[in-house]
Amino acid sequence: MASAPTVAIIDDDEDVREALCELLEVMGFVCRPFEGGSAFLAAFPSGRFDCVITDIRMPEINGLDVIDRLKELGAGTPVIVLTSAMDEHSRQRAVAGGACAYLMKPVDDAMMLASLERALSGSGSDPRTDAG
């Protein structure tokens, strides 16, 4: 029996982390919440993640830095980006770094789940269409 996919949720907003974890766990995913990029990257080498969902704006290491670091590590882990402010430069940088979706907060549950399913299937998505 295949194990449930493990998803890292990186967001400095505890309410967002809890809500996303709750949604994904109800749908059968395993969630590992992290309050920032530093905490995630410290756990990454020893953890196994099938997908990463990250906020862009966070203190210290932001979501774009997380994408860059994963790329440097050669990790093929798909990344979904969340943001509360549409910024074309950040979207372009996220897409160039390999993000498979760029979603606006508050994200619709159905859109999040569809983006996650595409990311996990390896079919990717067009991040511009997921920009909300």
Side-chain angles (χ1 to χ4, degrees):
M1 180 177 191
S3 61
T6 301
V7 180
I9 307 291
I10 311 169
D11 200 306
D12 58 331
D13 184 327
E14 184 177 4
D15 292 336
V16 171
R17 286 193 314 270
E18 287 179 1
L20 280 173
C21 281
E22 209 172 275
L23 169 68
L24 298 183
E25 287 170 349
V26 165
M27 299 306 294
F29 297 96
V30 174
C31 283
R32 296 243 350 247
F34 298 93
E35 63 184 33
S38 298
F40 167 74
L41 291 171
F44 184 76
S46 62
R48 183 184 77 74
F49 302 100
D50 298 297
C51 188
V52 173
I53 299 173
T54 185
D55 186 17
I56 287 222
R57 295 180 178 188
M58 297 180 289
E60 294 178 35
I61 297 178
N62 66 39
L64 296 172
D65 295 334
V66 168
I67 292 171
D68 291 344
R69 185 68 180 126
L70 289 174
K71 197 171 185 178
E72 288 170 12
L73 293 170
T77 310
V79 178
I80 295 171
V81 173
L82 297 177
T83 185
S84 58
M86 182 54 78
D87 171 17
E88 185 59 23
H89 174 72
S90 294
R91 189 193 68 76
Q92 288 176 357
R93 186 171 159 205
V95 171
C100 56
Y102 190 89
L103 306 173
M104 289 294 296
K105 291 180 182 177
V107 64
D108 175 74
D109 290 353
M111 171 130 356
M112 172 54 73
L113 293 170
S115 296
L116 182 57
E117 289 297 333
R118 281 193 304 269
L120 291 170
S121 73
S123 65
S125 66
D126 180 349
R128 292 167 294 187
T129 62
D130 288 346

